């Protein structure tokens, strides 16, 4: 009936998952210097090679300047005013029953199905609260197949040869400012290795949480799929309300060997800040996968609804012949959120294919940008790319922007890019109303239909949560 | 912040010219400011977003001097041949940035033009906030150089309510017979209310030394005016052309813009359009063909500043040899520009594996009631179409040329001035023939 009302409600819906769990934490001193890095490394009982790598990264980071090319506006970040290490003190790593009950309650509030895991089966959760892995389930079951799924801090100690070979091979510490910072101070994350020919029997899943006040969380994820293997990895995030901006600079590296396939799905619902843009997470993520061997495949799917600032470009380097890269994204921004996200597809091998489907939804006073690169190298014969970037605008004070870069150096490559921008039209709403469907339901249905192409790519458990998230973001209009 | 010392000689030489031109003409604050800004920014490097694909090292390698026209050239009749390129047009000839009335077509009543070193119109253009606020963030550094160094501003004023039947042809000639030269022009054109005009800008070079021509053209199209603007660059004679054309379109005005970049070691065209009045419309067409080691870079920016405007862009490119094509098309829909329609398409054909296309269609949308779309493609000639033609007894080369012609004709056939259409058609055919046989 009244579009303005709906838009107002939509743009004012409060963050549902805002709460702080009062778990005692252990902090490293505020600020960043070599001592803090040594402290983190020592806390993690890391071998010498890691400390060296961290210090090299730190030395390189000091020489770099923060990038500002993205269409993002935020106050300068004081890197010396953050804690780089925080760990829950009552850290129990044994069975699920011994985990701090308050922590479990926190996850339950978020809807993380740790308690239900045993019954639901099919999802192994490596739950990360701030920086230390607290509970790992289904580890033994995976171990039978030879799959290594553990916190990266554990892998550094127990599988040094795998870590040494692969860590930083896709995202070197010299890659960019935030990757260098992450390499120096990362505290935990997930490590996953799928041996040759193994198909992971369940979706691997991790929940990231940012909990302690002003703690930058620096996660590092490394997934290696050996020859002919398959893995589907889920990452989901929610964070409690904070009035101080929180910095998050994660690095995710995927490596797919010959005929291997990695499917990486993300649902991101961090605190986006209140309706005036106060608080909220700063999310500067470097995600990149490499299709190292022939006939390999990497697929990224993301649903981004949170963070006040998103700076994220999951990419694929298609090195092996006949390799495939995919990127499916729904990015929703509201209030004063800003998202600058997209992908990079670098075609090196012959007959490589990539597909990009990006759906942006902007509401309120938010800004949503797609920024992507498709690069076809000279030797990449018969490569193919298709990109589609659509933007949906809800309200007249939001912005939707597209910055696609197409660089083609091979005549046999076919590259196509298309983008459209539109709003929910009166015609569409009229059609729904004619059939007795309220305005609110109509908008929700249109948005869901608009994002369907991407949501369909998510594994079942996540598709449900993603739809829930879109509904929450649309709250007020859908009730 | 120019850290590249390779350009310091060039900048020093330009500075000498700038400071010494004080003797002949007054250096206004405007020129001084432009110079200061140029010197502050320096020559763009690969790290400058707007120039990331362009190799400008030739500026440091070639010993460019600012063109001194008056003292060097005595026989102006040698430029006569340029009048025959488009004999039926109203030809205005510029050599090394200086207007030559002796060679140009005789003046006609509805058009008022003059070459001056002070001009009130200059002030109008330079202080036009609607135009300048939008383009200043990506100001072409070479345009600053043109603003700082050009002594004579050429201006054309078209009265209200007139239809100029004869197209106005501005011929920019670089004469590098004596030395490698850089020459700059500044041209201001204002089109009166409800008037109609066709403008053609072409670039040529004579002489065997290198030549860098920098053209800055500002056009204000008043209410309900109709303008067709053609730019043709086809000169493969060690020539470098960098140009910026700015349009400010007032209420209800119509613009058809054509850009044909067919030959030149380096061609860089910035086309900025501000749709400043509601109901105004722009149609942009472009065809570029880079072969050899040519680099052709087209940057277009369309600012939808008011509601109910529409823009349409079709740029097509053919890249052969080791040629490089760059297309950067930006559409900005500002906050209150509701009911905007903006379309853009960029299609490219690569004929060789040494050719490269870098395209970046860009949308920045800040209003919700808009219909905007863009598309960009790159590929080679369709194998099936080639097969179809070959199965009917057409040789491989002919089939290739036929398909390329069809691709280019999309743009060429839209040229309304037949003499120009024929000229372009012939130039393109020649290029196809020379590239089709390898």
């Amino acid at each position: 009936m009244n579009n303005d009302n709906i838009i107002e409600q939509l743009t004012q819906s409060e963050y549902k998952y805002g709460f702080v769990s009062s778990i005692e934490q252990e902090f490293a001193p505020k600020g960043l210097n070599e001592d803090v890095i040594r402290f983190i490394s020592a806390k993690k009982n890391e071998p010498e090679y890691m400390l060296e790598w961290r210090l090299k990264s730190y030395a390189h980071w000091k020489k770099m300047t923060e990038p500002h090319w993205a269409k993002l506006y935020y106050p300068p970040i004081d890197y010396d005013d953050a804690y780089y290490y925080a760990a829950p003190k009552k850290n129990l790593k044994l069975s699920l029953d011994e985990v701090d009950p308050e922590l479990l309650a926190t996850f339950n509030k978020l809807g993380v199905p740790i308690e239900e895991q045993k019954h639901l089966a099919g999802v192994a959760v490596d739950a990360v609260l701030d920086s230390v892995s607290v509970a790992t389930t289904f580890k033994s079951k995976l171990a039978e197949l030879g799959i290594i799924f553990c916190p990266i801090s554990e892998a550094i100690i127990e599988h040094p040869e795998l870590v040494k070979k692969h860590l930083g091979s896709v995202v070197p510490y010299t890659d960019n400012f935030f990757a260098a910072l992450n390499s120096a101070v990362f505290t935990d994350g997930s490590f996953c290795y799928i041996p040759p020919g193994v198909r992971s029997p369940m979706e691997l899943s991790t929940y990231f949480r940012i909990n302690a006040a002003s703690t930058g969380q620096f996660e590092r994820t490394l997934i290696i799929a050996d020859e002919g293997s398959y893995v589907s990895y889920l990452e989901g995030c929610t964070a409690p309300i904070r009035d101080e901006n929180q910095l998050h600079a994660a690095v995710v590296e995927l490596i797919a060997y010959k005929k291997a396939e990695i499917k990486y799905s993300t649902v991101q619902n961090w605190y986006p800040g209140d309706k005036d843009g106060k608080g909220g997470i700063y999310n500067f993520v470097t995600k990149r996968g490499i299709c190292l061997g022939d006939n390999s495949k990497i697929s990224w799917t993301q649903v981004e609804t949170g963070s006040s600032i998103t700076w994220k470009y999951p990419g694929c380097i298609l090195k092996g012949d006949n390799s495939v890269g995919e990127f499916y994204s729904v990015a929703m921004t509201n209030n004063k959120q800003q998202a600058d996200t997209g992908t990079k597809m670098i075609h090196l091998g012959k007959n490589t294919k990539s597909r990009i489907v990006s759906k942006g939804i902007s509401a309120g006073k938010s800004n949503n940008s797609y920024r992507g690169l498709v690069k076809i190298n000279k030797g990449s014969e018969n490569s193919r790319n298709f990109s589609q970037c659509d933007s949906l605008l809800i309200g007249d004070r939001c912005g939707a922007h597209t910055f696609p870069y197409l660089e083609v150096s091979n005549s046999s490559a076919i590259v196509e890019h298309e983008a459209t921008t539109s709003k929910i039209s009166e015609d569409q709403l009229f059609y729904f109303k004619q059939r007795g469907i309220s305005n609110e339901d109509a908008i929700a249905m249109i948005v869901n239909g608009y994002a369907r192409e991407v949501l369909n790519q998510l594994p079942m458990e996540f598709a449900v949560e993603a739809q829930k998230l879109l509904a929450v973001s649309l709250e007020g209009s859908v009730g | 912040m120019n850290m590249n010392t390779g350009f310091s000689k060039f900048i020093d030489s330009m500075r000498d010219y700038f400071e010494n031109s004080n003797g002949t003409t007054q250096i206004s604050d405007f020129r001084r400011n432009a110079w200061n800004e140029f010197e502050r920014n320096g020559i763009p490097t690969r790290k400058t977003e707007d120039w990331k694909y362009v190799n400008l090292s030739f500026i440091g390698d070639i010993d460019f001097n600012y063109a001194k026209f008056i003292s060097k050239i005595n026989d102006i009749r040698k430029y006569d041949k340029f009048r025959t390129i488009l004999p039926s047009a109203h030809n205005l000839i510029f050599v090394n940035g200086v207007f030559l009335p002796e060679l140009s077509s005789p003046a006609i009543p509805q058009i008022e033009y003059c070459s001056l070193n002070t001009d009130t119109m200059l002030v109008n253009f330079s202080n036009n906030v609607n135009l300048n606020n939008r383009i200043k963030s990506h100001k072409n550094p070479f345009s600053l150089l043109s603003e700082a160094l050009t002594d004579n501003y050429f201006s054309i004023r078209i009265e209200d309510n007139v239809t100029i039947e004869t197209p106005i042809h501005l011929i920019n000639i670089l004469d590098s017979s004596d030395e490698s030269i850089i020459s700059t022009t500044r041209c201001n054109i204002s089109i009166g209310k409800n008037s109609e005009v066709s403008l053609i800008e072409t670039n040529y070079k004579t002489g065997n030394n290198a030549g860098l021509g920098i053209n800055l053209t500002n056009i204000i199209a008043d209410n309900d005016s109709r303008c067709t603007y053609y730019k043709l660059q086809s000169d493969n004679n060690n020539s470098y052309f960098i140009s910026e054309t700015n349009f400010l379109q007032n209420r209800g005005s119509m613009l058809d813009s054509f850009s044909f970049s067919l030959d030149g070691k380096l061609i860089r065209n910035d086309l900025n359009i501000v749709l400043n009045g509601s109901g105004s419309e722009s149609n942009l067409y472009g065809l570029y063909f880079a072969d050899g080691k040519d680099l052709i870079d087209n940057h277009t920016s369309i600012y939808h500043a008011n509601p109910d405007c529409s823009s349409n862009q079709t740029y097509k490119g053919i890249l052969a040899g080791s040629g490089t094509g760059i297309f950067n098309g930006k559409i900005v829909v500002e906050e209150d520009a509701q009911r905007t329609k903006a379309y853009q398409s960029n299609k490219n054909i690569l004929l060789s594996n040494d050719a490269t296309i870098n395209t970046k269609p860009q949308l920045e949308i800040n209003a919700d009631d808009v219909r905007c779309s863009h598309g960009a493609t790159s590929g080679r000639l369709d194998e099936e179409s080639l097969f179809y033609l070959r199965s009917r007894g057409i040789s491989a080369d002919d089939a290739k040329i036929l398909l390329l012609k069809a691709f280019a004709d999309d743009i060429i056939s839209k040229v309304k001035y037949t003499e120009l259409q024929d000229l372009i058609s012939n130039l393109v055919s020649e290029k196809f023939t020379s590239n089709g046989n390898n």
Side-chain angles (χ1 to χ4, degrees), chain A residues 111-298:
Chain A
V112 178
I114 279 205
E115 284 282 88
E116 297 158 44
Q117 282 306 297
K118 292 170 186 165
H119 316 291
L120 265 175
V123 182
V125 173
D126 176 18
V128 176
L129 186 84
D130 281 324
S131 311
V132 170
S133 293
V134 184
T136 305
T137 45
F138 288 98
K139 207 170 162 180
S140 53
K141 198 172 167 189
L142 293 170
E144 277 171 34
L145 291 162
I147 296 174
I148 305 167
F149 181 42
C150 64
I152 198 155
S153 50
E154 208 176 300
I156 288 168
I157 299 162
E158 286 172 22
H159 308 283
E161 67 298 331
L162 281 174
V163 173
K164 261 190 212 168
K165 186 175 170 196
H166 296 102
L167 191 71
S169 68
V170 190
V171 182
Y173 64 82
T174 49
D175 191 78
N176 68 64
F177 183 80
F178 298 108
L181 179 64
N182 175 287
S183 304
V185 300
F186 76 89
T187 42
D188 220 328
S190 294
F191 174 84
C192 178
Y193 171 79
I194 317 290
V198 172
R199 204 182 153 84
S200 173
M202 60 185 85
E203 318 269 0
L204 304 182
S205 165
T206 299
Y207 271 79
F208 292 91
R209 295 258 293 118
I210 298 179
N211 196 290
S214 31
T215 305
Q217 184 159 359
F218 303 92
E219 297 293 341
R220 186 103 196 175
T221 300
L222 177 60
I223 298 175
I224 305 155
D226 217 325
E227 273 192 45
S229 65
Y230 167 85
V231 63
S232 168
Y233 186 89
L234 317 182
E235 175 202 322
C237 327
T238 52
I241 281 183
R242 283 291 172 196
D243 276 339
E244 221 169 312
N245 287 309
Q246 295 178 306
L247 175 68
H248 187 269
V251 172
V252 175
E253 294 175 280
L254 311 183
I255 296 147
Y257 282 95
K258 204 171 159 186
K259 290 183 185 163
E261 181 177 348
I262 302 175
K263 190 174 161 71
Y264 194 101
S265 313
T266 312
V267 173
Q268 192 261 101
N269 183 31
W270 279 331
Y271 179 50
D274 63 15
K275 63 184 188 323
D276 299 318
K278 197 161 178 271
I281 308 290
Y282 285 6
N283 190 18
F284 297 96
V285 190
T286 310
K287 290 186 171 182
R288 196 174 302 148
I290 184 164
C291 288
L292 210 53
D294 296 352
N295 301 73
S296 54
K297 180 176 175 183
I298 288 178

Side-chain angles (χ1 to χ4, degrees), chain B residues 375-413:
Chain B
T377 60
S378 160
R380 62 176 160 196
L381 289 172
D382 183 28
E383 296 290 338
E384 281 184 33
S385 308
L386 281 172
F387 178 77
Y388 178 90
L389 292 171
R390 295 217 54 197
S391 67
R392 273 143 188 86
I394 296 166
S395 75
D397 285 346
D398 286 351
K400 204 166 147 186
I401 290 168
L402 210 59
L403 289 177
L404 286 173
K405 266 193 166 161
F407 180 78
D409 242 22
D410 235 14
I411 306 291
I412 299 172
S413 64

Side-chain angles (χ1 to χ4, degrees), chain B residues 110-113 119-121 155-159 188 190:
Chain B
Q110 297 94 338
I111 317 170
E112 193 187 302
Y113 51 78
D119 185 357
T120 49
M121 254 174 79
S155 69
I156 299 176
R157 183 173 295 154
I158 316 262
E159 295 171 9
N188 295 329
S190 84

Side-chain angles (χ1 to χ4, degrees), chain B residues 307-353:
Chain B
D308 300 298
C309 297
S310 61
S311 68
N312 236 311
Q313 279 184 76
T314 313
Y315 267 71
K316 289 189 155 191
I318 300 168
L319 298 315
S322 303
T324 304
I326 296 146
F327 175 75
N328 189 117
K330 181 159 86 170
I331 297 172
V332 180
V333 178
E334 295 180 7
E335 279 195 10
D336 296 311
Q338 297 294 2
R339 298 174 299 282
T340 288
K341 283 183 197 155
Y343 300 99
Q344 184 190 73
S345 112
N346 174 234
K347 293 182 176 166
N348 298 287
I349 290 184
L350 267 69
L351 293 178
S352 101
N353 274 357

